[in-house]
Amino acid sequence: MMQIGVLPPGDPGVFRSLLLPEAARALEEGQAVTALGLTEGDVAVGALAGDLEDGFFQIRSLYVAPDYRRRGGGRLLVGTLEKLLAETRTGMMIHFTVTRQEHETLFPFLGALGFRDETNETENIYVTTLGELGKAAHLSGAKESGVSFAELDEGLLRQAELVARAGGSPRPEGGVDGPYVERRISMAIVRENRIAAYAIFDRSCLGSLTLSSTWSGSVGPAAVFSMVRSAFGRASRLFPPEEKIVIQSVDRLTAALIRAMAPQARMISHTWMK
């Protein structure tokens, strides 16, 4: 029979391999994490971990070992968490990215537990390939717009980072001038010796070429569309058609960009709530 236990802070113990690394690390560091361990006899077979954020319990890690699935373990983990949250009437949320086919089994599982799909297109992750993008008529023969980061002065990039940080503009985790930015493809519009807009690519998501940040500044969305189109053109000359392109939608501008330039892109991140 499967049983549930609450994991004490400080050491995930035998459940470490059943938690995502960041969840195991948070528990180990004594952060405000609630973690449950699932066992059958003396064997650790599953785990759940998460914390409170924005009024919801965010499930950060949920896993049951393959040999023990379809036996109610996942339902037992989520059901136990729901009972723990019942007194405070706190809802649950889980955000996940579909990177393998097995992740798609979460859809019927969460639906059966009463979760609702609350995915927001303006805060999402989409994936396509350079080959698919190349089939779009509006990308062929387009005139290049903007300047690549590889051609920019380091002082301009540092300046753009300071402006973005001060103004709260979208920027990669490592910064506009960070080491992970793909400078050959990232593009900027420069006016009066200042970066007035940019479209930044890195490999921050799934290790794939990722459009992680766009900022229209004072030039408007049309200029950003042109920059991104130029970046895709550069990428198609540097990488093979099967190269995956990940586009992170963080606002209305990038959501509109995806609809216009990559309507065939597949949404791979999802948010479900209960």
Side-chain angles (χ1 to χ4, degrees), residues 230-252:
S230 296
F232 287 152
R234 284 182 172 237
S236 67
R237 295 191 291 272
L238 291 169
F239 302 102
E242 60 270 20
E243 178 81 19
K244 286 185 178 179
I245 295 286
V246 175
I247 307 173
Q248 292 183 308
S249 173
V250 296
D251 52 26
R252 293 185 182 277

Side-chain angles (χ1 to χ4, degrees), residues 27-47:
L27 186 65
E28 190 173 47
E29 293 173 354
Q31 297 181 28
V33 175
T34 297
L36 304 175
L38 178 70
T39 58
E40 184 167 271
D42 296 329
V43 182
V45 300

Side-chain angles (χ1 to χ4, degrees), residues 29-67:
E29 293 173 354
Q31 297 181 28
V33 175
T34 297
L36 304 175
L38 178 70
T39 58
E40 184 167 271
D42 296 329
V43 182
V45 300
L48 178 154
D51 52 43
L52 291 172
E53 183 178 315
D54 298 330
F56 282 85
F57 185 91
Q58 304 273 353
I59 299 175
R60 309 292 186 184
S61 182
L62 174 60
Y63 182 79
V64 176
D67 291 344

Side-chain angles (χ1 to χ4, degrees), residues 105-126:
T105 62
L106 280 171
F107 300 139
F109 168 73
L110 293 171
L113 291 178
F115 282 78
R116 307 176 310 279
D117 186 351
E118 299 288 347
T119 302
N120 184 342
E121 71 163 0
T122 62
E123 298 177 6
N124 228 302
I125 301 174
Y126 297 79

Side-chain angles (χ1 to χ4, degrees), residues 103-258:
H103 293 161
E104 295 181 358
T105 62
L106 280 171
F107 300 139
F109 168 73
L110 293 171
L113 291 178
F115 282 78
R116 307 176 310 279
D117 186 351
E118 299 288 347
T119 302
N120 184 342
E121 71 163 0
T122 62
E123 298 177 6
N124 228 302
I125 301 174
Y126 297 79
V127 65
T128 184
T129 65
L130 280 174
E132 287 297 320
L133 282 171
K135 294 176 183 177
H138 55 267
L139 293 183
S140 59
K143 183 180 178 182
E144 185 154 301
S145 173
V147 182
S148 76
F149 275 31
E151 302 168 79
L152 290 177
D153 179 83
E154 290 292 332
L156 273 179
L157 291 173
R158 287 194 295 271
Q159 179 192 85
E161 167 62 13
L162 292 173
V163 171
R165 192 184 302 173
S169 305
R171 49 190 281 275
E173 188 171 333
V176 172
D177 58 346
Y180 306 111
V181 171
E182 176 52 82
R183 296 192 177 194
R184 296 173 296 173
I185 298 170
S186 298
M187 305 291 290
I189 291 176
V190 179
R191 292 184 177 173
E192 298 180 355
N193 203 34
R194 297 177 67 91
I195 292 180
Y198 54 66
I200 300 177
F201 287 79
D202 55 26
R203 291 190 179 271
S204 59
C205 187
L206 312 178
S208 299
L209 197 59
T210 304
L211 176 58
S212 59
S213 304
T214 57
W215 176 58
S216 60
S218 59
V219 302
V224 174
F225 286 7
S226 295
M227 273 196 303
V228 173
R229 187 167 53 208
S230 296
F232 287 152
R234 284 182 172 237
S236 67
R237 295 191 291 272
L238 291 169
F239 302 102
E242 60 270 20
E243 178 81 19
K244 286 185 178 179
I245 295 286
V246 175
I247 307 173
Q248 292 183 308
S249 173
V250 296
D251 52 26
R252 293 185 182 277
L253 174 61
T254 45
L257 186 149
I258 293 166

